Amino acid sequence: MQKKLLVLFLFILAAFVGLSARLFLINRDNGEEYKKQVLSHQEYDSAIIPFKRGEIVDSNGTVLAVSNKVYNVILDTRLLLRKEEYLEPTLSALKRFFDIDIEAVRAYIAGHPDSAYYVMAKRVEYEKKTAFEEFCDDEEQGANIKGVWFEDEYKREYPNGSLACDLVGFTTGDSAGTYGVEEYYNDILSGTNGREYGYLNDDSTLERTTIAAKDGNNIQLTLDANIQTIVEKYLKAFNEEYKDNARPGNGAENIGCIIMDPNSASVLAMASYPVFDLNDVRNTENLVGMPLLDKDGKRVRTDGVAEYVTQESIAGMNDEVMYQHLNALWKNFCIVDAYEPGSVFKPFTVAAALESGSITGNETYNCEGMLHVGDHNIKCHQTFGDGPLTVQQGVERSCNVVLMNVAFALGKTEFVNYQHAFNFGLKTNIDLAGEARTASMIYHEDNIGMTDLATNSFGQSFNATMIQVITGFCSLINGGNYYAPHVASRITTADGATIENIEPRLLKQTISRSTSDTIIEYCNTVVSGENGTGHTARPAGYMIGGKTGTAETLPRGNNEYVVSFMGYAPADDPQVVIYVVVDRPNVVFQDDAKYATKIVKSILTEVLPYMNIFMTEELSDKEREELEQLQIQIRTPQTTETEEELDEEGNPIPKEGEEGGSQGEEGAAPAEGEEGAEEEPTGPNEAWRDFPLDPETGYLVDPATGDYYDPQIGTRVGSGDSQGEESGEGAGDEWSPAPPPGDGEESGGIE
């Protein structure tokens, strides 16, 4: 037995000696390798360092979008649970400084005692973080607060709220740009995240390394925030004046305004209404008054009558329907929505005919109130006829008959070629996200008929966007130079170094200088001429040029119109172009371009002096008094109601339905382009002057037909079943009421 025990002891001893020798050899030969493997399984701090998204500033350096540092509050459960006395003081401090749901934190701690990372609060401001840290540094109060640390993050903020919201766009929660500049220049505004982490060096010593984040670059815009503010002020004033006027809802379905430098196509202002706060993009209050949509984004109508968003309808919206409405709010009307431009297009038709040599400009055409094309009569807005008119007079009076004859002289092939030369049907490629494609909304040589040519000549039966129209118009008045429209002027690094200057890009020559000078001469008479349709757009002390526009939406005969005015100043040397479009103003009779000209006048009255464009015209006593009142308003902000009182010649503007409401003014813009009733016109006369005045609307009424006429220039407005002046409605088999191939949308996509 003793021998057996001795043998067992010696065997165990030998094994122990062998094991010890093996361990010695392993440690000698491979000790460092195994040491690193063991240490590598231990946890070391590693954190992402977020980049700062680049700023967006206006042409003067005013910040429109900036990313400010904020902090996520993180809990290390393991550290918190090391001692029991840490728990309650820490939770109490979290509740005090960050208003955190403590019960949710307790539940997480109970279920995850080994967690090292739990986000309790996101995007906490620096002031709250600092206050918490100071409290923790206090030896008495903060001694037992453990396991809380802060993670850096950036929050996108827009210091001016809703200013230029459609143009600037916004970011999603993961800092990705959505809409506008934020989306178009997302790659430039975005940077690269950095990282801080620990690792073992060759001596097995823990070291920390930081790879710095690379911040995004900044974008400087051509936009001037001061001009933008003026524009938005008057769009809002228009809405306040006309909302809930003839129907529930906003002052118009949409209102858009673009101000541009015609010699570079730089956008100085771009706005539409309604607006939204870029810091609170999902605020549903901004939806009230907009057209009501279904889950497919289509207009909701009951018995053919459009419905509008109310607080009650918002409460009943599901997520899908809510998204459709928010998307309609966020989109940029100036580049997304297509519509029939109406008579604003007439200068394009005349320019094409002059440039091609199809006309000389000395021609005279006889307007008898309509022109027979195809199987039907296409009427002019002056249903009594204007008699013999030159081409210039046709532009001044916005005569459809003159323009149809000019288009016939030009011919279908040349008309289509020039329409494409002015970029209609093509994207302008402005540096903003979401620009609409309109290739399917215009005619081509193989599908345009004579009646299509007739209606196209005055801006109907095809669709365009605001940015297309104003960019093409700039080439009409700047010598024929077509520049690519743009909103960005410079890209800089985070520390201000210039990376790239974005220069204006001249793309093509549309017309000659001589043709351009002629178009300026013609368009000047629209404002200054005795029979011009744009008198009410002229700001006191200035002479401007331009063109009014009125277009009936689809379906024809619905008495719903898009009215507009394209203007430029000074008249003899255009330095600024403004385009205002009012989509279905909330009034009884919508076919009156005065609803656009009044906005243009108000905006230019403030913008032109700001741009150091000086007055050239003598002021009347009334105009001087008007300007003095405006200066008082600017120095001492008044209510919107006061501002609205001075929009037209410094006098109160009655609401629709009040005595004098919508009464025509001197040179009030007519409703243009009607086709409808088949009776023969009476020829050039002024029989309308003897019509009685309707005190409720301020219009003259034809006792025989019930049609309404402007009391100053005799143009027909709101004429019920015979409406459709520019539409060419019922103009025969060749004419299509929607641009080919047609998308079924009213006004070719305006909805």
Side-chain angles (χ1 to χ4, degrees):
M1 178 63 74
Q2 291 179 349
K3 289 180 180 181
K4 290 180 179 180
L5 290 174
L6 179 61
V7 171
L8 180 60
F9 173 75
L10 292 174
F11 178 78
I12 293 174
L13 181 62
F16 179 76
V17 170
L19 182 59
S20 299
R22 180 58 180 162
L23 289 174
F24 173 78
L25 293 174
I26 289 174
N27 187 61
R28 184 191 68 182
D29 299 334
N30 306 102
E32 286 301 314
E33 179 183 347
Y34 287 118
K35 180 180 179 181
K36 290 181 179 180
Q37 289 185 16
V38 172
L39 293 175
S40 68
H41 285 83
Q42 298 183 15
E43 294 184 12
Y44 300 102
D45 290 339
S46 177
I48 294 175
I49 303 174
F51 68 82
K52 181 179 181 181
R53 188 175 177 85
E55 295 182 354
I56 300 174
V57 300
D58 84 331
S59 57
N60 301 312
T62 302
V63 177
L64 302 175
V66 63
S67 292
N68 292 319
K69 184 173 282 189
V70 290
Y71 305 89
N72 296 333
V73 185
I74 311 299
L75 178 65
D76 186 335
T77 306
R78 300 171 308 173
L79 182 57
L80 179 64
L81 296 178
R82 284 185 181 179
K83 291 186 179 181
E84 185 177 346
E85 54 266 30
Y86 293 164
L87 182 60
E88 294 305 325
T90 301
L91 295 180
S92 176
L94 290 172
K95 175 67 174 177
R96 173 180 175 181
F97 288 95
F98 306 117
D99 196 25
I100 291 174
D101 185 353
I102 298 304
E103 295 307 315
V105 176
R106 288 184 188 276
Y108 183 84
I109 293 173
H112 306 82
D114 297 324
S115 171
Y117 184 89
Y118 172 56
V119 181
M120 296 180 291
K122 290 186 175 182
R123 298 189 173 185
V124 170
E125 293 81 6
Y126 174 77
E127 292 75 16
K128 290 185 177 181
K129 170 183 177 288
T130 303
F132 178 81
E133 290 176 332
E134 290 176 353
F135 182 80
C136 293
D137 290 340
D138 186 285
E139 294 184 359
E140 288 188 18
Q141 300 181 92
N144 290 327
I145 299 176
K146 303 294 180 181
V148 179
W149 57 283
F150 296 91
E151 179 181 63
D152 293 352
E153 192 177 338
Y154 285 97
K155 179 183 179 182
R156 197 64 163 171
E157 295 181 348
Y158 303 89
N160 296 289
S162 62
L163 185 70
C165 56
D166 293 328
L167 184 142
V168 172
F170 53 93
T171 60
T172 58
D174 57 355
S175 295
T178 303
Y179 297 94
V181 173
E182 290 277 28
E183 181 176 342
Y184 189 92
Y185 287 103
N186 185 64
D187 292 343
I188 291 174
L189 292 165
S190 298
T192 305
N193 286 331
R195 192 171 186 86
E196 183 181 30
Y197 59 92
Y199 71 97
L200 294 172
N201 63 16
D202 293 338
D203 297 326
S204 299
T205 302
L206 178 65
E207 293 189 357
R208 303 192 68 81
T209 293
T210 300
I211 299 176
K214 181 181 179 182
D215 293 337
N217 295 319
N218 302 327
I219 301 290
Q220 184 167 25
L221 305 179
T222 59
L223 186 88
D224 188 315
N226 295 315
I227 297 177
Q228 182 77 20
T229 299
I230 294 170
V231 169
E232 293 189 13
K233 176 176 71 172
Y234 286 108
L235 296 192
K236 180 179 180 181
F238 181 92
N239 183 73
E240 291 301 313
E241 180 177 357
Y242 291 105
K243 70 178 180 181
D244 299 323
N245 183 35
R247 54 164 172 74
N250 290 331
E253 302 277 308
N254 296 283
I255 314 172
C257 176
I258 302 176
I259 297 182
M260 184 178 282
D261 179 348
N263 300 308
S264 65
S266 302
V267 174
L268 306 179
M270 179 183 287
S272 62
Y273 198 90
V275 297
F276 58 94
D277 188 343
L278 289 168
N279 298 304
D280 186 16
V281 297
R282 293 186 176 273
N283 189 333
T284 58
E285 292 182 5
N286 301 305
L287 302 177
V288 176
M290 292 178 59
L292 187 65
L293 308 175
D294 61 20
K295 63 182 180 61
D296 298 318
K298 303 296 184 182
R299 293 286 299 273
V300 174
R301 298 180 182 273
T302 301
D303 297 328
V305 178
E307 295 188 30
Y308 296 86
V309 177
T310 63
Q311 290 290 358
E312 291 74 17
S313 62
I314 290 175
M317 291 181 186
N318 57 32
D319 291 343
E320 192 175 9
V321 174
M322 177 61 71
Y323 172 77
Q324 294 292 350
H325 287 85
L326 289 174
N327 186 61
L329 176 66
W330 296 335
K331 69 180 181 180
N332 187 341
F333 173 75
C334 299
I335 68 170
V336 173
D337 287 59
Y339 57 95
E340 292 172 289
S343 290
V344 167
F345 185 76
K346 288 177 178 177
F348 290 93
T349 302
V350 173
L354 290 170
E355 186 68 18
S356 66
S358 303
I359 64 171
T360 64
N362 298 319
E363 293 81 1
T364 299
Y365 302 100
N366 186 42
C367 174
E368 297 181 342
M370 66 88 185
L371 190 65
H372 191 78
V373 182
D375 298 327
H376 298 275
N377 297 330
I378 302 179
K379 287 191 174 182
C380 185
H381 67 81
Q382 178 53 277
T383 56
F384 294 104
D386 284 309
L389 295 177
T390 64
V391 177
Q392 176 174 330
Q393 290 173 327
V395 174
E396 176 186 345
R397 300 186 183 214
S398 199
C399 177
N400 288 347
V401 172
V402 170
L403 264 293
M404 285 187 280
N405 279 293
V406 169
F408 295 154
L410 179 62
K412 294 188 291 185
T413 299
E414 285 296 293
F415 180 87
V416 168
N417 289 340
Y418 273 96
Q419 194 175 42
H420 292 170
F422 288 117
N423 235 53
F424 291 98
L426 302 173
K427 294 177 68 173
T428 65
N429 289 322
I430 187 173
D431 48 345
L432 291 172
E435 182 182 5
R437 296 181 180 274
T438 59
S440 64
M441 299 180 183
I442 66 169
Y443 284 95
H444 301 275
E445 185 178 358
D446 60 353
N447 66 354
I448 185 170
M450 289 303 294
T451 317
D452 305 318
L453 178 63
T455 55
N456 270 228
S457 72
F458 48 75
Q460 292 226 203
S461 299
F462 74 92
N463 280 15
T465 61
M466 284 188 68
I467 193 63
Q468 284 178 327
V469 179
I470 191 173
T471 306
F473 193 87
C474 284
S475 76
L476 288 182
I477 62 170
N478 71 4
N481 300 314
Y482 188 97
Y483 289 93
H486 62 284
V487 301
S489 63
R490 190 165 58 139
I491 301 173
T492 65
T493 63
D495 55 7
T498 299
I499 296 176
E500 179 184 357
N501 285 314
I502 302 174
E503 302 293 342
R505 290 188 300 130
L506 178 60
L507 300 182
K508 54 188 170 182
Q509 186 85 9
T510 57
I511 56 176
S512 64
R513 167 59 70 177
S514 60
T515 300
S516 176
D517 291 341
T518 301
I519 294 301
I520 291 174
E521 178 185 348
Y522 289 1
C523 288
N524 286 349
T525 63
V526 172
V527 178
S528 63
E530 180 181 356
N531 297 293
T533 60
H535 291 178
T536 53
R538 188 179 76 84
Y542 294 92
M543 185 50 65
I544 69 171
K547 186 67 192 76
T548 53
T550 307
E552 188 176 19
T553 66
L554 294 176
R556 308 301 187 195
N558 62 5
N559 295 325
E560 294 183 350
Y561 291 81
V562 177
V563 296
S564 58
F565 183 80
M566 180 79 73
Y568 55 85
D572 58 346
D573 181 24
Q575 299 299 310
V576 60
V577 175
I578 180 172
Y579 186 30
V580 169
V581 174
V582 182
D583 170 21
R584 285 165 278 200
N586 193 347
V587 294
V588 175
F589 302 131
Q590 299 178 3
D591 52 336
D592 193 336
K594 183 169 71 266
Y595 297 111
T597 59
K598 63 181 290 186
I599 298 175
V600 170
K601 176 186 176 182
S602 298
I603 292 173
L604 290 184
T605 298
E606 291 193 40
V607 167
L608 294 181
Y610 170 77
M611 295 182 65
N612 293 319
I613 297 175
F614 301 108
M615 292 184 180
T616 58
E617 308 300 308
E618 185 177 350
L619 293 174
S620 66
D621 291 339
K622 183 178 181 180
E623 289 175 331
R624 189 173 289 106
E625 180 181 352
E626 174 186 345
L627 292 178
E628 289 174 354
Q629 290 297 320
L630 179 61
Q631 290 173 351
I632 293 174
Q633 282 186 32
I634 295 173
R635 290 195 298 266
T636 308
Q638 302 292 320
T639 64
T640 303
E641 220 175 282
T642 304
E643 293 174 0
E644 292 162 356
E645 290 176 353
L646 299 177
D647 277 348
E648 279 295 324
E649 304 296 329
N651 295 321
I653 305 172
K655 299 268 187 176
E656 194 76 20
E658 297 177 352
E659 184 174 351
S662 295
Q663 181 165 344
E665 305 172 33
E666 179 182 356
E672 303 153 311
E674 174 168 357
E675 184 238 341
E678 298 290 331
E679 69 273 8
E680 291 297 320
T682 59
N685 64 68
E686 296 186 342
W688 53 272
R689 292 189 181 276
D690 297 326
F691 293 163
L693 180 71
D694 178 8
E696 291 188 3
T697 64
Y699 289 110
L700 302 176
V701 183
D702 185 341
T705 64
D707 291 343
Y708 290 87
Y709 291 82
D710 187 293
Q712 296 296 326
I713 56 178
T715 55
R716 182 171 57 173
V717 296
S719 50
D721 294 337
S722 60
Q723 207 63 18
E725 295 177 10
E726 293 186 13
S727 69
E729 179 182 2
D733 295 337
E734 289 186 294
W735 185 80
S736 171
D743 57 7
E745 295 289 335
E746 292 191 17
S747 194
I750 204 162
E751 297 179 359

